[in-house]
Amino acid sequence: MLSKGTFVLGGAASGKSVWAENVILNNSITANYVATSTIQDDETFFRVKVHKDRRDARWTTHEAAFDLAPILENIPPSRPFWLIARPCG
């Protein structure tokens, strides 16, 4: 049984998203994906597009760069969520 929420933290391009996506694929479940990245340049735009294109219908994607509370409060208790973030600074 997976926990309701999993916080995945790591540097840019460290494999956070691929790891989370593989957990979902290997467990045949649906999940919410809370993305915290902001598009600041062409490189980030491309990386976000690759991530979005890789996820299928098992994922509901929520974009919340700054205010996570409304997103997390509205995720149904029956669906796990993955918060993918990279440290600021």
Side-chain angles (χ1 to χ4, degrees), residues 7-48:
F7 180 62
V8 182
L9 181 66
S14 63
K16 300 176 298 293
S17 297
V18 170
W19 179 83
E21 292 160 9
N22 284 331
V23 170
I24 295 303
L25 293 173
N26 291 333
N27 287 282
S28 299
I29 58 175
T30 57
N32 289 276
Y33 185 102
V34 182
T36 61
S37 183
T38 58
I39 306 298
Q40 299 174 359
D41 54 32
D42 290 342
E43 179 184 352
T44 307
F45 174 82
F46 178 73
R47 284 200 339 248
V48 168

Side-chain angles (χ1 to χ4, degrees), residues 11 22 54 56 84:
N22 284 331
R54 200 170 50 217
D56 62 17
I84 311 296

Side-chain angles (χ1 to χ4, degrees), residues 72-83:
L72 298 178
E73 289 172 354
N74 290 304
I75 291 176
S78 61
R79 291 190 65 189
F81 70 87
W82 299 83
L83 176 58

